[in-house]
Amino acid sequence: MTSRRWRPLRASDLATASRIAALIHPDYPEDDAVMAERLRLCPEGCFALVADDGALLGYAVGHPWRARSVPDLDTLLGALPAPAGAWCIHDVALLPDARGRGAAAELVGLMRAEARRRAVAEMVLVAVGNAAGFWRHHGFRPIPEVPPPGYGAGAALMVGDI
């Protein structure tokens, strides 16, 4: 079994992260400039999951945002809101071989720690596909607000406590 660890995402990781995004989230495409901008605006919220040999196994992107909302899919932000009302988990993608070993749960902890550090009131995300159960397990709950267009049928806007 290959060990893995989360580390800060780097600009040099973006091309590989883009390839992972295309594999894991083909129904939710975003221009490469979106992830690059999130990294520039909030490097503390961007993580890379790497194997012992340095191979990228996944990535995650989070940033401050407005309470009970998420940015539109495939949209440049220009700037982050100040003050922010929430920590937005914008994207998490793990290659299949990296799943089931606790990496996603560890990532939730990293995101929660950054949200606490920034003293925001809640975390917010859109659960797509069949991911709502995972997020419920980690303390998120669906809210009645509708996610922006583009996230697909069955997408759920969810919030979690810090």
Side-chain angles (χ1 to χ4, degrees), residues 29-41:
E30 291 193 297
D31 190 275
D32 291 348
V34 172
M35 193 181 316
E37 182 194 54
R38 300 300 198 280
L39 179 59
R40 182 180 55 77
L41 292 174

Side-chain angles (χ1 to χ4, degrees), residues 75-142:
T75 300
L76 294 173
L77 304 178
L80 297 172
W87 181 262
C88 175
I89 300 178
H90 177 74
D91 192 3
V92 178
L94 300 178
L95 291 173
D97 291 346
R99 297 177 191 162
R101 298 180 185 167
E106 186 180 345
L107 182 271
V108 173
L110 291 170
M111 291 284 189
R112 201 165 257 131
E114 186 59 24
R116 280 189 197 112
R117 190 182 78 74
R118 291 175 182 259
V120 295
E122 65 187 17
M123 296 173 65
V124 64
L125 58 86
V126 174
V128 296
N130 59 1
F134 170 84
W135 294 110
R136 275 191 195 97
H137 178 75
H138 290 283
F140 287 80
R141 61 198 176 282

Side-chain angles (χ1 to χ4, degrees), residues 12-78:
S12 59
D13 298 322
L14 291 175
T16 304
S18 178
R19 287 192 292 278
I20 292 171
L23 287 170
I24 304 304
H25 301 306
D27 296 332
Y28 315 103
E30 291 193 297
D31 190 275
D32 291 348
V34 172
M35 193 181 316
E37 182 194 54
R38 300 300 198 280
L39 179 59
R40 182 180 55 77
L41 292 174
C42 188
E44 306 85 2
C46 298
F47 300 93
L49 183 67
V50 294
D52 288 336
D53 64 2
L56 200 66
L57 304 172
Y59 69 87
V61 176
H63 56 81
W65 197 245
R66 296 185 275 283
R68 297 190 168 239
S69 70
V70 296
D72 289 348
L73 193 64
D74 196 29
T75 300
L76 294 173
L77 304 178

